[in-house]
Amino acid sequence: MTGKAQRVWLTILKNTLNRGTSRMARAGVGPFSIVRHVGRKTGKVYETPLILARAGDDFVAELTYGPEVAWYRNVVAAGRCVVLDRGAEHEITAIEDFPADAGLRAFGNPAALVLRLLRRREFRLLRTGARP
């Protein structure tokens, strides 16, 4: 997908699908979580619905649209965000590259099978402040 086509697609998602999935995530229904992040240029708080996998106390994100999407760039710039998952807020204190094999295992089947078929290889670990 070209840069312009991707921007158009992401705008369509933001104004249609994301509204419904955000409601689902807030209600704790379905596979969605919300990543609350601060705009690196605007300073405004944004909420992005994502499907995240758990890895112990942490979360794994698959970068479906690559590392240039706003939510990811904002989290990297700030070094933190908040994940709302099943009604609970989790402070994310770091974001790191995560090996593809471990990312696929975190999502489990059937999601991992779909991700393999789509050749998804970019995963990030969202670390919570919770440590044993």
Side-chain angles (χ1 to χ4, degrees):
M1 195 179 289
T2 66
K4 183 176 181 178
Q6 184 174 1
R7 282 191 302 276
V8 169
W9 174 245
L10 292 174
T11 299
I12 291 168
L13 282 178
K14 181 175 84 174
N15 293 310
T16 57
L17 184 63
N18 283 5
R19 290 181 182 169
T21 54
S22 290
R23 283 188 210 105
M24 290 172 63
R26 265 189 209 41
V29 176
F32 296 97
S33 300
I34 289 181
V35 174
R36 188 175 301 134
H37 50 96
V38 176
R40 62 196 178 285
K41 295 177 184 174
T42 64
K44 192 173 154 186
V45 176
Y46 295 96
E47 294 187 343
T48 303
L50 298 173
I51 296 175
L52 301 175
R54 291 304 298 252
D57 290 329
D58 303 324
F59 294 89
V60 177
E62 187 274 319
L63 300 182
T64 304
Y65 302 107
E68 295 304 313
V69 292
W71 79 263
Y72 178 71
R73 293 175 67 196
N74 289 341
V75 172
V76 169
R80 60 188 330 101
C81 66
V82 173
V83 168
L84 176 62
D85 183 66
R86 308 270 181 253
E89 288 190 0
H90 304 269
E91 284 286 326
I92 302 301
T93 58
I95 188 165
E96 307 167 1
D97 289 346
F98 199 59
D101 290 342
L104 291 167
R105 278 194 307 276
F107 276 89
N109 285 323
L113 177 60
V114 172
L115 292 170
R116 275 189 193 90
L117 290 172
L118 295 173
R119 294 188 168 98
R120 300 299 183 197
R121 307 290 301 161
E122 277 199 75
F123 295 86
R124 297 298 185 270
L125 184 65
L126 301 157
R127 289 207 176 268
T128 64
R131 293 288 165 259

